[in-house]
Amino acid sequence: MPAAPSLPSNTLAGRGLLLAGLAYTALFFWYSWPLGREWSTAFVGTPHGDANQYIWNVWNFQRQVAAGHNPFYTPALLYPQGTGLWLHTYTPVLGVLNVGLRQEFWAVNGGLLLSFVLSGVGAARLAGRWVRQPLLCGLVGFVFAFSPYKLAHWPEHYHLLLTATVPFYLLAYLDALAFEPGRWLPQVRSWPLVGWGVFLLLITLFSDYYTLAGLVYFSAGYAAWWGLRLGAIDWRHWRPWAGVVVVLALGHFVSRGLALLGLDDNAGVWWGGDLAGYLVPPLGNRWLATPGTDALWRSTHFHAPGSVENVTFLGYLLPLLAVALGVGAWRQRRSGIALPPTSAETRPFWALVLLFAALTMPELRWLGHDLLRLPTSVVHFVPFLNNIRCPTRHVLLLSLLLPLAVCLRLDSWLRRWSGRGSWAVAGALYLGVFIEYQVYSYPFIRAADVPMAYRVAAALPGPVLFPIPFGLLDGYHQLGHMDAAELFYQTQHHKALPGAYISRVPAATFAAFAHEPVLRALLTVQQHPDSLALVPMPTASQLVAFERRYPQAVFVVQPTFRAQPVHELLRSWLLPAGYTEQLVPSVEGNYVLLKPAAR
């Protein structure tokens, strides 16, 4: 490997890292304000949205550990048998934090604060390995920690925010291994650092498997760049470009052929990104979004209108600067002027930028029009690997590699400037990106939002609570209606639920849930209120068996289902059995509490 120019060990160390950490902490509270005032009673989230599951995750983890039970199992869902959580989006790293804190809001909010700050500090330190301008190092950390992708997912998907391991893994990977052109297997420079890298991968596995997949793709792509000698290709000749055309054509026809053969891509191609996602500001952007862009996001031009899964936006300044620097370097080469020297280990970065851009778009798409299946689409036909079925989430690594590659090139130009000029340019770029990345205030979910009916139910005897509506839901199927807010409510009333909202549920569990006679009748009437006369009623013995299976069950009927057929059906069964009704007021209307007779 050619020797890199002599550089300081790292631009950011000690005081610089401390200042960066303080800056990213301030930015966390800036974006999440007024969360700082409600740290122990609220969390960022859309009411009834996915964020509710993360407060439940840490509650269940700590509860199981405190009882001496397996934390990857819960008796609190799918009562009475419970369910395993190994395939659930469980974020056990936050659960471990709650084992010490024993307070769900502190664990969730504190865990996210640590992740944002460490993501920024780690990315800034990674940049400081080659970049001498400190503000540019800080910019790389800011873009990675607070990218539009992460800011868009904050109210919904906390696991996608747990990215602290990423820059530290890249540092360990580069420190531990040495690559040479033509060799796929690197030379190990430090086995302890190899072990540290494996440990970081393990932590990432227990944070988010999409992030883990991104690190695996980075590792393989970096090694492939050296093994295939991509840095030695002379792009001034036609043969390399002909090779690119052949690879693109093969990727398209192989992918189409696999689809025609009936192989399942797990909807990964459908969930792929759209080029417009890189150009249109996402919903909630404070300064760049307009009524026109918001209407476009919600239009059928996107496969999932309005979904955060379409967000691949990186702002305008960094992509435009990348183009400008590329054009400048091309013109400089044509003029015979030598480019500024770069470290050999950074040379694969631009190729990796293209790789991760291609991973976000298995099908090259513009405003919903499919243009070309990229070779990366073939991955979605490989069993196990095609569980990464939301490819736009690979923009996470792009949000690190693009600013890193841009700042590396920009820094080499700024070294010719005076100190003040360098700081002025870097500061202006930082300010511009900061403005691009501003969002409107986030919604919050608060402890006070739990309806009083659930607090009343908590004081009643019996191990199980039936919310009406109820249901069973995973990432593929839905039976009935399971409100994600029920998970948050459960952390307050502590009673088990008959249904569940988890990432993966076996088909046999869905079948058993749907065929239990009493549940089947309730689900049918709940979903089709006009079908009460057609629903086969459970027999007396089936109702007795239901009572034994769900002893002293408490039923909470939401206001919109009060006096509806499912409520009336419950009354006809439960009141003769000794149950009593109680109306519990709330801002949404009156809840109905069906309480078992005291024993």
Side-chain angles (χ1 to χ4, degrees):
M1 181 186 299
S6 177
L7 289 175
S9 57
N10 203 293
T11 301
L12 291 187
R15 184 173 62 179
L17 290 176
L18 176 61
L19 290 174
L22 292 174
Y24 300 134
T25 300
L27 285 166
F28 176 90
F29 286 105
W30 168 269
Y31 279 110
S32 64
W33 188 256
L35 182 63
R37 295 189 311 199
E38 304 179 60
W39 195 253
S40 60
T41 59
F43 56 99
V44 172
T46 304
H48 307 284
D50 284 349
N52 289 277
Q53 71 176 307
Y54 301 96
I55 206 83
W56 182 92
N57 286 348
V58 300
W59 170 78
N60 183 76
F61 194 99
Q62 186 274 327
R63 185 169 176 257
Q64 287 292 93
V65 170
H69 298 151
N70 176 11
F72 287 89
Y73 168 85
T74 182
L77 300 176
L78 285 173
Y79 181 89
Q81 69 269 25
T83 182
L85 298 169
W86 284 101
L87 296 180
H88 177 51
T89 304
Y90 195 32
T91 55
V93 291
L94 297 180
V96 170
L97 191 60
N98 196 37
V99 170
L101 295 174
R102 303 178 67 87
Q103 213 279 1
E104 293 84 36
F105 296 95
W106 275 78
V108 166
N109 293 330
L112 292 186
L113 170 62
L114 285 173
S115 181
F116 273 96
V117 172
L118 290 175
S119 296
V121 168
R125 182 163 176 77
L126 176 66
R129 185 183 180 98
W130 311 282
V131 176
R132 289 184 176 178
Q133 167 48 249
L135 266 183
L136 290 182
C137 298
L139 174 63
V140 173
F142 168 67
V143 173
F144 178 64
F146 299 96
S147 67
Y149 158 81
K150 290 178 66 176
L151 295 178
H153 281 276
W154 196 342
E156 294 288 342
H157 303 134
Y158 284 9
H159 62 292
L160 301 180
L161 311 181
L162 301 178
T163 59
T165 57
V166 172
F168 294 101
Y169 172 79
L170 267 59
L171 279 167
Y173 183 88
L174 296 174
D175 282 335
L177 306 174
F179 291 86
E180 296 180 7
R183 290 188 57 183
W184 283 81
L185 294 179
Q187 177 185 356
V188 175
R189 293 191 287 205
S190 171
W191 283 107
L193 284 175
V194 170
W196 171 239
V198 172
F199 175 75
L200 290 171
L201 289 177
L202 183 63
I203 297 299
T204 308
L205 172 63
F206 288 110
S207 301
D208 173 48
Y209 63 93
Y210 278 92
T211 306
L212 176 66
L215 294 181
V216 172
Y217 278 123
F218 172 87
S219 303
Y222 191 92
W225 191 91
W226 291 102
L228 295 173
R229 297 178 180 269
L230 296 182
I233 295 176
D234 188 350
W235 295 100
R236 293 172 297 182
H237 298 293
W238 65 270
R239 286 187 179 86
W241 295 104
V244 170
V245 171
V246 169
V247 170
L248 290 175
L250 282 175
H252 176 82
F253 288 110
V254 168
S255 179
R256 290 286 186 184
L258 293 174
L260 291 174
L261 289 173
L263 272 70
D264 184 14
D265 70 342
N266 207 10
V269 175
W270 187 89
W271 277 108
D274 193 301
L275 279 171
Y278 284 97
L279 300 176
V280 182
L283 295 169
N285 187 287
R286 181 179 290 273
W287 302 116
L288 301 180
T290 66
T293 62
D294 287 355
L296 178 57
W297 270 112
R298 293 189 175 97
S299 75
T300 54
H301 287 297
F302 289 97
H303 284 191
S307 171
V308 293
E309 299 299 353
N310 295 318
V311 175
T312 50
F313 186 69
L314 292 169
Y316 297 121
L317 288 177
L318 286 175
L320 287 174
L321 187 55
V323 172
L325 290 170
V327 170
W330 175 73
R331 293 182 63 180
Q332 199 168 356
R333 285 194 190 96
R334 290 197 64 183
S335 302
I337 303 173
L339 294 174
T342 58
S343 172
E345 61 185 1
T346 68
R347 292 173 190 166
F349 286 175
W350 282 111
L352 290 170
V353 165
L354 294 176
L355 170 65
F356 279 97
L359 285 169
T360 66
M361 290 183 294
E363 180 131 32
L364 194 62
R365 184 178 295 147
W366 172 250
L367 290 176
H369 298 287
D370 297 333
L371 305 176
L372 177 72
R373 288 273 181 105
L374 298 179
T376 50
S377 65
V378 177
V379 176
H380 293 281
F381 293 94
V382 180
F384 182 74
L385 294 182
N386 64 5
N387 281 297
I388 307 297
R389 64 188 189 118
C390 293
T392 52
R393 295 178 179 182
H394 286 303
V395 79
L396 172 69
L397 266 292
L398 194 57
S399 69
L400 175 58
L401 292 169
L402 178 66
L404 183 58
V406 167
C407 288
L408 279 167
R409 178 60 62 187
L410 181 60
D411 182 66
S412 67
W413 288 97
L414 291 182
R415 290 176 196 172
R416 305 174 182 180
W417 293 42
S418 65
R420 290 183 180 180
S422 171
W423 281 87
V425 172
L429 180 59
Y430 203 132
L431 178 62
V433 174
F434 176 75
I435 292 172
E436 287 185 316
Y437 285 13
Q438 294 309 295
V439 295
Y440 287 107
S441 298
Y442 288 126
F444 285 83
I445 300 172
R446 297 175 170 87
D449 295 335
V450 178
M452 182 56 66
Y454 291 93
R455 302 187 186 280
V456 175
L460 297 175
V464 60
L465 181 148
F466 267 83
I468 302 296
F470 72 101
L472 180 59
L473 174 67
D474 72 357
Y476 290 95
H477 307 98
Q478 179 171 343
L479 182 62
H481 178 78
M482 177 67 185
D483 187 348
E486 296 293 345
L487 296 175
F488 175 44
Y489 300 162
Q490 187 181 49
T491 67
Q492 305 298 306
H493 63 69
H494 295 185
K495 293 185 182 296
L497 297 174
Y501 183 7
I502 53 180
S503 298
R504 297 291 182 269
V505 177
T509 303
F510 271 101
F513 196 82
H515 288 92
E516 199 285 330
V518 176
L519 294 183
R520 181 178 60 212
L522 290 173
L523 285 169
T524 303
V525 176
Q526 173 184 293
Q527 294 175 264
H528 306 287
D530 56 349
S531 65
L532 180 58
L534 304 176
V535 175
M537 289 295 105
T539 64
S541 61
Q542 288 171 338
L543 287 172
V544 170
F546 178 82
E547 182 185 358
R548 290 174 179 169
R549 183 176 176 85
Y550 302 103
Q552 292 188 288
V554 178
F555 292 81
V556 177
V557 182
Q558 292 185 8
T560 53
F561 283 80
R562 179 180 168 227
Q564 295 298 308
V566 65
H567 176 206
E568 297 300 330
L569 187 59
L570 280 171
R571 295 180 85 251
S572 69
W573 293 341
L574 300 177
L575 296 184
Y579 272 70
T580 58
E581 274 193 339
Q582 177 183 348
L583 290 181
V584 184
S586 77
V587 294
E588 305 168 14
N590 289 328
Y591 279 76
V592 177
L593 199 64
L594 287 158
K595 304 184 294 183
R599 293 182 180 178

